[in-house]
Amino acid sequence: MELIRDRGALTRAEVLDITGLSRMTVSGRIDALLESGYIVEKGTDRVTGGRPSRRLQFNTAHAALIAATVDTTHTTVALTDLAGNIAAEERIQVAVADGPDRTLHAIIDSARGLLEREGVPAGQVGGIGISVPGPVDPDTGRPSQPPIMPGWDAYPIAEHLRDALQIPVLVANDADAAALGEQRRAHPDSRSLCFIKVSSGIGTGIVLGGEVYRGADGGAGDIGHVKIAGHDDMVCQCGAHGCLAAVASGRAIARSLTDIGKPANSGSDVGAMLAAGDPDAARLTQAAGRVIGEVVATVVSLLNPAEVVLGGMMASAPLLAGVRETLYPRSLPRATRHLTVALSTLGERAAIVGLAALLVEREYSASAVNAALSR
Ligand SMILES: [Zn+2]
């Protein structure tokens, strides 16, 4: 099951070769998976080179999934297949500052509406994944002292959603989910990728060996609160002084723009000005990119990733240029020789793809499928 899910289309002969199991064992397991709809067999019975060309594939229509990405300005709820392809999505006007009760209630309403409009019966939904802009404890699945999520610390998000929707729930950090989505969809051959999200805050998702690295307490990659020398006068949302997010986030750029007479309230205002080609927004975003690049140089030296992907509302040519300006001179040549630094091509959808991948890994693991088959 995991072999077919992760490697893509395989013939029965290839499964035999790779697993080294007996023909009878493989055939019994494949038949059980086919009968229960976990995998499908595609292609023709036409024999090429002495072998039938029918291939076994993970059935991405086995169930539907719901993915909800909670952000600082809005929330997106999507209905996807098991590959993270979006069938329908809705942007709802609740954000992390609205607190968990109101936000989760709106997500539940939106999910029910999407299922009804798309005609998906409740029994056909394999789970819901939700991403939040803060650290998530890997053991409890609860937000772990999130700096910019008032009211969410240790909130039982999974229990709340499970009670309402009666389906499995997965909670993830937004940059972690986006990093996995970028790796799976845009860089499937990459073994190590860092996704730097620059929006109202700044965070990093790390994918090593094809899996999200979360750290002991879910705090890996939380670079937004690294202290930047010489900026002790800048107060961060977390209450400390001189954090990277206080100096270089979308919120910080918005404040700088306001100071020079171009009112901007938030990262999304700056994003709109960047999209409209505002030269001051571009200049200040590039300057922010230079500060971010200094911190990313440490990340790159530590992890030696193959890809650094920049995403979030500030992701733009000026941000990319700024990051490159400081990242390369401050990193060892060995760490950057094969490094690609690029803008996200998936945008907001990266986290949705990543949430679907995380749900599939858990709900369609060998042990989960074995348990379901023996019931
Ligand atoms: Zn901070």
Side-chain angles (χ1 to χ4, degrees), residues 173-198:
N173 166 263
D174 61 351
D176 286 350
L180 189 64
E182 289 286 344
Q183 191 265 331
R184 292 293 165 87
R185 190 60 64 85
H187 305 275
D189 297 326
S190 175
R191 304 306 295 161
S192 51
L193 177 148
C194 292
F195 177 85
I196 318 283
K197 182 178 178 184
V198 187

Side-chain angles (χ1 to χ4, degrees), residues 47-135:
V47 173
T48 48
R51 285 182 171 174
S53 59
R54 290 175 72 83
R55 290 184 174 274
L56 300 160
Q57 290 177 14
F58 180 52
N59 181 11
T60 56
H62 185 261
L65 300 175
I66 298 163
T69 57
V70 179
D71 218 322
T72 50
T73 53
H74 64 279
T75 294
T76 301
V77 183
L79 182 67
T80 77
D81 67 7
L82 297 182
N85 296 311
I86 297 169
E89 68 185 316
E90 181 177 40
R91 180 183 273 230
I92 52 177
Q93 294 309 315
V94 288
V96 72
D98 291 317
D101 275 329
R102 202 167 148 230
T103 304
L104 296 178
H105 191 79
I107 289 171
I108 291 161
D109 278 353
S110 171
R112 286 181 174 147
L114 282 174
L115 293 173
E116 197 179 317
R117 283 199 294 284
E118 295 299 310
V120 178
Q124 187 49 37
V125 184
I128 177 169
I130 176 171
S131 67
V132 294

Side-chain angles (χ1 to χ4, degrees), residues 147 224-227 236-241 243-246:
H225 306 279
V226 168
K227 304 293 174 284
C236 182
Q237 265 204 306
C238 74
H241 289 72
C243 296
L244 176 63

Side-chain angles (χ1 to χ4, degrees), residues 9-14 41-57:
L10 294 173
T11 63
R12 285 174 184 250
E14 285 167 335
E41 201 163 22
K42 288 194 173 157
T44 61
D45 282 320
R46 185 171 47 86
V47 173
T48 48
R51 285 182 171 174
S53 59
R54 290 175 72 83
R55 290 184 174 274
L56 300 160
Q57 290 177 14

Side-chain angles (χ1 to χ4, degrees), residues 71-73 133 147-148 196-203 222-226 228 231 234-238 240 242-258 264-271 274 280-293 295 311-316 319 323:
D71 218 322
T72 50
T73 53
I148 60 163
I196 318 283
K197 182 178 178 184
V198 187
S199 280
S200 297
I202 299 174
D222 200 8
I223 61 168
H225 306 279
V226 168
I228 304 295
H231 293 280
M234 312 285 255
V235 182
C236 182
Q237 265 204 306
C238 74
C243 296
L244 176 63
V247 180
S249 65
R251 195 182 304 268
I253 300 167
R255 195 182 47 228
S256 303
L257 279 165
T258 305
N265 285 319
S266 63
S268 62
D269 286 352
V270 183
L274 284 169
D280 291 309
R283 177 175 56 80
L284 291 166
T285 299
Q286 185 161 350
R290 284 194 288 270
V291 182
I292 294 166
V295 176
M313 289 182 291
M314 301 302 106
S316 57
L319 184 80
V323 168

